[in-house]
Amino acid sequence: MITLVPVLFVAVFFGWPVVALINRATRTSDGTGIVGLLRNTDAVGLLGITLGQALASTLLVTVVSIPIVWLVARVDLPGSRLLMVAVTVPFVLPTVVVGIVFRAVLGGPLAGLGIETGFWAVLVAHVFLNVAVFVRVVGAALRSQAGRAAEAARCLGAGPLRAFVTVSLPPLLPAVGAAASLVFLFCSTSFGVIIILGDGRLRTLETEIYQQAIGYFRIPEAVALSMLQIVVVIGALLLTRIFSDPAASGAAGSPARRRRPNGWMWLPVAAAIGYTLVLMVGPLLVLAIRSVRPTAGGDWTLRGYRGLGEQVNGISPLDTLGYSLTTAASATAIAVVVGTLGAIALHRASGPFAVIGTVLAMIPLGVSAVTLGFGYLIALAELPAEVSASPLVIPCVQALIAVPFVIRVVLPALESVPARLRQAAVVCGASPWRVFWTVDLPTIGRSLGAAGGFAFVMALGEFGATGFLAQADTTTLPVLIGSGLNRPGADNLATAMASAMLLVAVTALAVTVIELLGTRTRRAAGKDSREMQAVI
């Protein structure tokens, strides 16, 4: 039963649209094989560009994240929660909003660089989006790493650099590899950023799938490219699984304590704080300015914010925000239930089944939203109107994207529950469900809250697949922003900018709650661990 629910959910809301799309392509491909279809679309060149920009983005994210990782893992700062909020907000923003941000930044304060659109513009936006992945994964590993070995190396005469390279760095390599694999996955399937900043000159597998399916209505070619992209996604997920193997971790001993800076140490700390704020908060400030001054050199105005209450085609941005919050809440409930059951199933699995299950659970996160959206259109067209128009369709689609995040948050929490507590409950006659309710749930409760928060912001910002399904009365705020950018006129641009700022504010509030909950979770985890050891 535990495994059946997540399997059925993924089969219906992921497998079904993909199979429907493949079936449609097979019927209209006039016998052309997949190799021929890929050759028609220059798939080799597209694959090279996709992997090249993803690799370049990953390397750039790795380098740019180093000072921030050191800051959050080794320095004890007042207001560190707000710093993590600033780092995390860009990751959960809709890619269409990030595209708007960097059109404003690269066309305004950084216009002199000449990279308003194109390859380098996409790389810069990818850094802004994915720094949070590297900081959270590698920062957590560095924060939990024992500091005694490095101190011993320093006492034996090793300099700071040699002590880091020979002692501290090797145990961090699995975390670095896992973070880099995730960043590579997200960048190789990037859509909104490349559509807005690529300016039609940068073509990747993701954008070409959209062009073939929507622009040319060449379904077989789009499906062939989607299959190639799925192979890339599976490869990236396998790398993530390999690097995330607990057996590969070299951290041991008591975690190193973060130090409060004093004296001259405030100089590098202040520099790192300034660097982080410019990188992560600066672009959002530019967006805030553009929301009240839509065009460079234009007048300062609040007409964009006044336009939030004005209806276009019978709906206003505030109406879409209300609908977005409602569907995101529904998607969160679905994602938490399905993701928790999936995490329990993976926790109980072992060997190849655990590896295969982890990869399958993460595939919906990396597969083309364009592919899924078009598959939904084909699949729903064959159903009665009452079913295809159900208000649960969009929340379920959004939940599909959020389920992998819930699993990644809940699974480590389940693995941290001492096995002896479960065994003691079983010896006392508790059933498996009673063990979960009385032993596991109290321990992972706060992690579930954090997982629900992440699911909410991911559902709130989902743009790709939802854009295919949205109707006049089911338009979400990210979809409205995307359509607003395509309408001419300064007023439409101002409203799109103001709508983006509204979405940034809601997202920042949700991430702040998650960060506060996460801090309490870490404190409670230490307290619960001591209490459980005392009980045992």
Side-chain angles (χ1 to χ4, degrees):
M1 178 63 180
I2 292 177
T3 306
L4 184 61
V5 172
V7 167
L8 284 177
F9 182 82
V10 174
V12 171
F13 291 99
F14 176 74
W16 180 34
V18 171
V19 170
L21 197 58
I22 294 174
N23 181 56
R24 176 69 174 271
T26 303
R27 287 185 295 172
T28 58
S29 64
D30 61 24
T32 304
I34 188 170
V35 175
L37 294 172
L38 293 176
R39 188 181 296 114
N40 292 340
T41 57
D42 187 26
V44 174
L46 291 170
L47 179 62
I49 294 173
T50 300
L51 298 181
Q53 64 85 20
L55 180 60
S57 298
T58 302
L59 293 175
L60 198 55
V61 168
T62 302
V63 173
V64 168
S65 301
I66 291 173
I68 308 177
V69 170
W70 169 77
L71 187 64
V72 302
R74 288 292 192 235
V75 182
D76 182 15
L77 286 174
S80 58
R81 300 175 191 171
L82 294 178
L83 187 67
M84 286 305 300
V85 170
V87 171
T88 306
V89 164
F91 175 67
V92 294
L93 285 177
T95 54
V96 63
V97 173
V98 175
I100 294 176
V101 167
F102 278 89
R103 283 295 288 263
V105 171
L106 299 176
L110 301 181
L113 297 178
I115 57 170
E116 182 177 351
T117 58
F119 180 79
W120 289 104
V122 168
L123 259 59
V124 172
H126 281 169
V127 169
F128 178 73
L129 269 170
N130 294 294
V131 160
V133 177
F134 207 91
V135 169
R136 284 193 171 271
V137 174
V138 181
L142 182 59
R143 191 162 47 238
S144 64
Q145 189 181 79
R148 294 181 180 178
E151 293 173 359
R154 295 289 303 276
C155 291
L156 293 174
L161 180 60
R162 185 176 181 183
F164 175 78
V165 172
T166 59
V167 177
S168 300
L169 182 59
L172 289 178
L173 291 180
V176 172
S181 299
L182 284 173
V183 172
F184 182 86
L185 170 64
F186 294 141
C187 294
S188 64
T189 57
S190 177
F191 177 67
V193 166
I194 296 179
I195 283 290
I196 295 176
L197 297 178
D199 200 25
R201 294 174 292 164
L202 185 64
R203 295 167 58 229
T204 62
L205 286 175
E206 184 83 353
T207 61
E208 191 64 16
I209 292 169
Y210 178 83
Q211 187 64 32
Q212 293 290 336
I214 305 302
Y216 306 142
F217 207 74
R218 296 165 62 180
I219 308 304
E221 285 81 357
V223 172
L225 291 173
S226 298
M227 297 303 101
L228 179 60
Q229 187 189 52
I230 288 176
V231 173
V232 174
V233 169
I234 292 175
L237 290 174
L238 287 175
L239 286 176
T240 303
R241 174 67 186 183
I242 292 171
F243 285 121
S244 300
D245 188 350
S249 177
S254 301
R257 294 182 59 185
R258 294 192 297 172
R259 295 181 179 180
R260 179 68 60 92
N262 55 68
W264 67 268
M265 277 299 296
W266 273 108
L267 292 177
V269 169
I273 293 174
Y275 168 85
T276 304
L277 293 179
V278 169
L279 181 68
M280 309 307 296
V281 181
L284 299 180
L285 292 179
V286 173
L287 177 64
I289 294 172
R290 291 295 297 272
S291 70
V292 293
R293 196 183 191 190
T295 57
D299 296 330
W300 298 87
T301 176
L302 293 176
R303 65 176 181 269
Y305 289 93
R306 288 194 293 268
L308 295 177
E310 298 176 359
Q311 292 190 347
V312 177
N313 297 327
I315 190 170
S316 70
L318 289 180
D319 294 332
T320 63
L321 175 62
Y323 178 76
S324 296
L325 293 174
T326 301
T327 57
S330 301
T332 300
I334 297 169
V336 168
V337 172
V338 175
T340 301
L341 293 175
I344 295 172
L346 291 174
H347 174 65
R348 295 179 179 180
S350 60
F353 294 102
V355 177
I356 295 173
T358 301
V359 172
L360 291 178
M362 293 293 292
I363 282 180
L365 185 63
V367 171
S368 167
V370 175
T371 300
L372 286 177
F374 204 73
Y376 283 125
L377 288 181
I378 294 174
L380 293 175
E382 300 175 355
L383 296 178
E386 294 78 7
V387 177
S388 60
S390 170
L392 287 177
V393 171
I394 289 181
C396 287
V397 172
Q398 294 174 338
L400 179 69
I401 308 300
V403 163
F405 281 89
V406 175
I407 291 176
R408 290 191 70 87
V409 173
V410 175
L411 184 57
L414 285 171
E415 292 173 346
S416 68
V417 179
R420 286 178 290 179
L421 283 181
R422 295 192 181 103
Q423 293 167 359
V426 171
V427 169
C428 292
S431 64
W433 277 111
R434 182 77 179 272
V435 171
F436 175 78
W437 284 107
T438 58
V439 177
D440 292 345
L441 190 60
T443 305
I444 69 170
R446 291 184 175 89
S447 293
L448 272 177
F454 273 111
F456 179 80
V457 293
M458 292 302 298
L460 185 65
E462 206 286 319
F463 170 70
T466 304
F468 283 82
L469 303 175
Q471 303 295 325
D473 58 341
T474 59
T475 300
T476 61
L477 191 55
V479 174
L480 185 71
I481 293 171
S483 62
L485 289 176
N486 295 324
R487 291 196 296 267
D491 288 347
N492 288 325
L493 179 60
T495 302
M497 294 287 186
S499 300
M501 278 304 303
L502 181 62
L503 195 55
V504 168
V506 174
T507 302
L509 178 61
V511 173
T512 301
V513 173
I514 295 170
E515 188 60 34
L516 293 174
L517 183 62
T519 302
R520 293 180 181 178
T521 300
R522 289 189 290 270
R523 291 175 180 172
K527 179 181 178 182
D528 291 345
S529 177
R530 292 190 295 270
E531 291 176 350
M532 286 187 290
Q533 294 298 329
V535 170
I536 294 173

